[in-house]
Amino acid sequence: MKTGTLILSVAAQTLVPLQVLFSLFLLLRGHDEPGGGFIAGLVVAGAFALHQFVNGPEATRRLLRVDPRDCIGFGLLLGVGSALPAWWQGEAFLTAQWWEVPGLGLKLSTPLIFDIGVYLVVLGSVLTAVITLTEVDKDET
Amino acid sequence: MQIAVLAGFALAILVPLLSRWCGGRTGLILALYPASIAFWLVSLAPEVLQSGGIYFEQAWAPSLGLSLSFWLDGLSLLFGLLISGIGTLIIIYASGYLHGHPQLARFYVLILSFMSSMLGVVMADGLMTLFVFWELTSITSYLLIGFNHEDAAARKSALQGLLVTFTGGLALMSGLILLNVVGGSWSLQTLLNDGETLREHALYLPMLLCLLGGAFTKSAQFPFHFWLPNAMAAPTPVSAYLHSATMVKAGIYLMARLQPGLGGTEAWTTILCVIGAITMVVGAFLAIRFTGIKKVLAYSTVMALGTLTMLLGIGGEAAMIAFVTFLTAHSLYKGALFMVAGALDHETGTKDIDEMGGLCRFMPVTAACAFVAALSLGGVIPLFGFVAKELLFEAVLDAPRFTGFLIGMSLLASVLVVAAAGIVALRPFFGALKETPKTPHEAPPSMLAGPCVLAGLSLVLGFMPWLAGDGLLNAAAGAVMGTEVVTDLYLWHGLNTALMMSMVSLGVGLLVCWRWPGVRGVIHRFSPVLDRGPEAGYWKLMDLLVRVAEWQTRLLQSGYMRNYLILTLLSFTGLTGYTLLVRHGPVFDLALDVRLQEVVVALVIAASAIVACMMRSRLAAVAAAGVMGFGIALIFLLFSAPDLAITQLLIETLTVILLILVLFRMPQFSSLSTPMERVRDMFVAIITGGLMTLLMLTVLGQDLFTSISEYMIDNSVPLGHGHNIVNVILVDFRALDTLGEIFVLSLAAIGVLAMLRLQAKERKTP
């Protein structure tokens, strides 16, 4: 069921993928340039909110594939999980750990995992609120 | 060691998978965990006995002085062995008792988590570690008592146990914090080595009372004893494990652990002896009042817990040896008796002793186990319980204070316990055969292994008490005393006063058992008095709690957003304003060196705020508030904080989206408030805004402490490997704060979900 106007739905077709990409870009570069998990999470939540305005909550749920509530749970799990590797190394809880992927010069770290956790929690929380508000509205009408 | 303890939780997570793969054999596989813990503890035993203890430390948050540290000494070793050893038998037993139960996997999850928590309690060295594991045992116990959650009575009992132990948990936490304040350390070992400081501190008594509050509620001491028999609503394996052998002994463990540091004072002796003795008699007396086999056993557990507390209160080497011996003996025979009770219930279909009789023909092995275990409970030679009882009487006879009182109480309690032992072991198995709901037959092997092993141990240790005594029990008693203890245990102590007391209690006890129905009739006449016990007080308190909650909800929760806002803002302004004006004084100098663009942005913000207040259309008000937000983002940009500016912009956007969604649901915009209310709101708004301005000016006007931004800027790249300081602070330097925040965010989302969904559901089903 399409609910949006033509202009909005055409714009959304281009904007939503771009916004999702941009959020990933923000997430990954966040450690050195403006960005980070929180901001990226807000951007991607905005993208899905736009998608929902145009296509309705069911379509957004289908697009997401996972329930936004599970996003929250998984995000929290990543956040807490990223605290543990340090403990394994015998250092204080939550000490950042860095690993370099050989050959690529790519650096992975627990702060990155943590940031992804934040990203998912923000995405999940905002979408839970937005989708629920819409769905409850529709149930009543 | 940390891994050994925490492995239980990991295993618990895997149980659902495991039970899908292994089906009925899951129980046996899971029993390998406690069994391997037991073997591991045995292998560590020589080292522990020789060196006095092994210490394991893992830093957790060193900056707060917190670490996950474990300390294995004689006392922990004894408890650890009981927990893991009996735990192994219980899991095997449960696989038979709950065979085919649809939620067997859930049971394993809970019991494994409980086991790990309990191991954590008895091995913890850090005060906070102890507290966390302590509360975990309360939570898992709550879930286990309420395992049959479709039964309202089970839910009620579970909640009662939870509330009593959690209230005690709060007291315990205060006590542990006081302990840290007084002793200046988070490590039990360090604290207890300096007992002198603890005992002579002005805060000794409050600290002691708080800690004992925790221990007494957990260990069901009078007047908190009522939750334990009610907890018998749990499946029998749970009762056998939690409510006889392990969890209720956590409080006893705590007292024993603290004895070298806090014990020996007048307050300690008085409280523990008196409360312990009262609990002992009350428990034993109530035991013979009931006919449910589990209730009888539960009250006799209350009696045993009282005895242990009393022995800790008496103090001294004899009492400590009696303490550890009684503790071990009790765990062995009570575990066995509960498993027997479960077998009876399982195979006959009733829990009422009056409905059983002559069962020894059908269930010979069960009967034998019950008989041996009950002999140990009654303290009959040559069982281990006899050794414990002799030591108990000797300790009481040597008690430095309250000697007469304690002797009388012990004798009375042991008479009643002998009677209870007889009731449990003789009545169901001998006498005339009675009709039971199910045709009785022998229990399956998995359910016989536990009682056989435990009853067998009671017998073996009775003949050869030195097997346990020379190493383990001496080491445990030594840990409680704080000095080395060398006492040999014997079965036969010679003809002495203690033996006389034993004989008297045995004779009178059997008499009571024989005339049990008559005795019960006499007790029954006092029912109105007995029903007014502490449990009635508990229910009154619960009613009061509900009434207070209703009253304050009516008072505070009006349901109007504006009232909440006014209340929040006024309390904020009042408290902060008071501190600012009275304690500090609003000192600042106004330096007006601003740039033109800043003035413009500021004016835009102020103007849009005023417009938002005056608008008569909701959408326009939202838009005006949006302009204000964008103005703030501009300010962030002007002061080169791009991260903040981006966040502000995004938040503004989302706020507008959410507001629009909410606005659809609102009634048409109309003038809801009277002019008086508008003036009031304006007043609140103005003083809040004024205070914030004053606060900012005052804070900026002076350097209270050196700024930490220098540190952040200098260390962002070398320590955090990132150039974006804001992000490095968020995910690295202050990651703990962020972790807290994402939890808050999640809670908020769940709150929104619950509020909207529940409301929608309520409206659908009026």
Side-chain angles (χ1 to χ4, degrees), chain B residues 297-546:
Chain B
L297 289 175
Y299 277 113
S300 77
T301 306
V302 172
M303 172 268 170
L305 296 170
T307 313
L308 291 169
T309 307
M310 180 184 80
L311 285 171
L312 282 174
I314 294 172
E317 194 169 317
M320 288 311 118
I321 278 289
F323 169 77
V324 290
T325 314
F326 193 88
L327 177 89
T328 316
H330 174 257
S331 296
L332 295 179
Y333 63 66
K334 197 51 71 67
L337 281 174
F338 263 112
M339 290 195 227
V340 165
L344 283 173
D345 171 26
H346 198 254
E347 309 310 338
T348 65
T350 175
K351 284 178 187 156
D352 197 321
I353 297 172
D354 266 354
E355 291 180 17
M356 302 179 212
L359 290 173
C360 74
R361 258 174 292 164
F362 301 100
M363 311 173 75
V365 184
T366 313
C369 291
F371 194 63
V372 172
L375 287 182
S376 193
L377 167 63
V380 181
I381 202 162
L383 276 302
F384 196 44
F386 172 75
V387 181
K389 198 165 163 186
E390 290 289 282
L391 289 169
L392 161 68
F393 282 142
E394 276 168 25
V396 170
L397 286 170
D398 287 345
R401 299 176 60 209
F402 310 111
T403 319
F405 169 70
L406 294 181
I407 292 176
M409 295 294 257
S410 310
L411 198 59
L412 184 58
S414 68
V415 166
L416 294 167
V417 160
V418 170
I423 291 166
V424 173
L426 301 180
R427 290 196 160 257
F429 295 105
F430 299 101
L433 185 64
K434 286 182 185 163
E435 197 68 25
T436 50
K438 276 199 217 167
T439 322
H441 56 86
E442 189 57 275
S446 59
M447 288 175 64
L448 288 176
C452 284
V453 170
L454 293 179
L457 271 177
S458 297
L459 194 62
V460 171
L461 288 179
F463 281 113
M464 292 175 274
W466 58 87
L467 278 183
D470 278 358
L472 189 57
L473 294 187
N474 271 338
V480 184
M481 282 285 285
T483 53
E484 208 164 310
V485 171
V486 185
T487 309
D488 294 331
L489 298 183
Y490 301 105
L491 179 61
W492 183 249
H493 286 235
L495 276 173
N496 52 19
T497 330
L499 187 69
M500 290 307 181
M501 288 170 71
S502 232
M503 288 301 147
V504 171
S505 65
L506 201 60
V508 182
L510 284 176
L511 198 69
V512 174
C513 173
W514 181 46
R515 309 296 307 242
W516 186 43
V519 174
R520 238 175 40 229
V522 175
I523 299 174
H524 192 66
R525 265 181 246 157
F526 295 102
S527 286
V529 185
L530 293 174
D531 287 343
R532 235 172 264 171
E535 191 175 1
Y538 167 82
W539 290 118
K540 277 214 182 99
L541 203 68
M542 293 311 289
D543 285 347
L544 190 73
L545 192 70
V546 171

Side-chain angles (χ1 to χ4, degrees), chain A residues 30-36 38-39 42 53 69 72 87 90 92-93 96 98 114-115 121 125 130 132 135 137 140, chain B residues 58-60 62 68 643 646-647 650 654 657-658 665 720-724 727 731-732 735 742 745-746 749 753 757 763:
Chain A
H31 215 53
D32 287 325
E33 307 282 336
F38 190 74
I39 293 177
L42 289 174
F53 279 136
R69 275 178 283 173
I72 304 181
W87 194 58
F93 174 72
W98 290 78
F114 188 82
D115 231 7
V121 170
S125 303
V130 171
T132 316
E135 283 180 343
D137 257 352
E140 283 173 8
Chain B
Q58 172 73 53
W60 185 254
L68 186 65
D643 270 280
I646 299 175
T647 314
L650 289 166
L654 282 172
I657 293 179
L658 284 174
R665 309 166 52 79
H721 302 280
H723 293 280
N724 179 356
N727 187 258
V731 299
D732 196 339
I742 58 177
L745 188 62
S746 318
L753 184 74
R757 283 264 170 240
R763 246 176 266 160

Side-chain angles (χ1 to χ4, degrees), chain A residues 55 70 113:
Chain A
N55 300 309
D70 297 344
I113 301 177

Side-chain angles (χ1 to χ4, degrees), chain B residues 9-88:
Chain B
F9 292 116
L11 197 60
I13 295 175
L14 296 177
V15 165
L17 277 180
L18 206 62
S19 63
R20 205 170 302 158
W21 292 335
C22 311
R25 284 187 307 268
T26 318
L28 294 180
I29 296 170
L30 292 177
L32 288 175
Y33 164 67
S36 51
I37 294 269
F39 278 115
W40 177 69
L41 285 174
V42 169
S43 74
L44 283 180
E47 199 188 332
V48 173
L49 299 186
Q50 210 161 36
S51 64
I54 315 176
Y55 188 63
F56 305 80
E57 186 174 15
Q58 172 73 53
W60 185 254
S63 43
L64 296 174
L66 295 180
S67 60
L68 186 65
S69 45
F70 287 124
W71 168 243
L72 186 67
D73 66 351
L75 187 65
S76 312
L77 188 67
L78 174 65
F79 270 93
L81 279 173
L82 288 176
I83 294 164
S84 52
I86 298 182
T88 311

Side-chain angles (χ1 to χ4, degrees), chain B residues 665-744:
Chain B
R665 309 166 52 79
M666 294 240 180
Q668 275 301 308
F669 210 66
S670 54
S671 191
L672 289 173
S673 37
T674 61
M676 263 316 273
E677 283 172 334
R678 294 191 145 230
V679 172
R680 179 197 62 188
D681 294 350
M682 204 161 77
F683 172 73
V684 172
I686 286 173
I687 62 165
T688 312
L691 179 81
M692 278 313 288
T693 315
L694 202 62
L695 200 63
M696 292 311 283
L697 284 171
T698 314
V699 169
L700 288 177
Q702 46 207 290
D703 275 333
L704 290 176
F705 32 75
T706 50
S707 158
I708 56 165
S709 28
E710 284 302 314
Y711 171 85
M712 300 288 185
I713 293 167
D714 288 345
N715 288 297
S716 172
V717 175
L719 291 181
H721 302 280
H723 293 280
N724 179 356
I725 302 162
V726 178
N727 187 258
V728 171
I729 294 174
L730 278 177
V731 299
D732 196 339
F733 291 159
R734 291 265 181 269
L736 191 63
D737 296 357
T738 316
L739 193 63
E741 278 154 24
I742 58 177
F743 270 97
V744 171

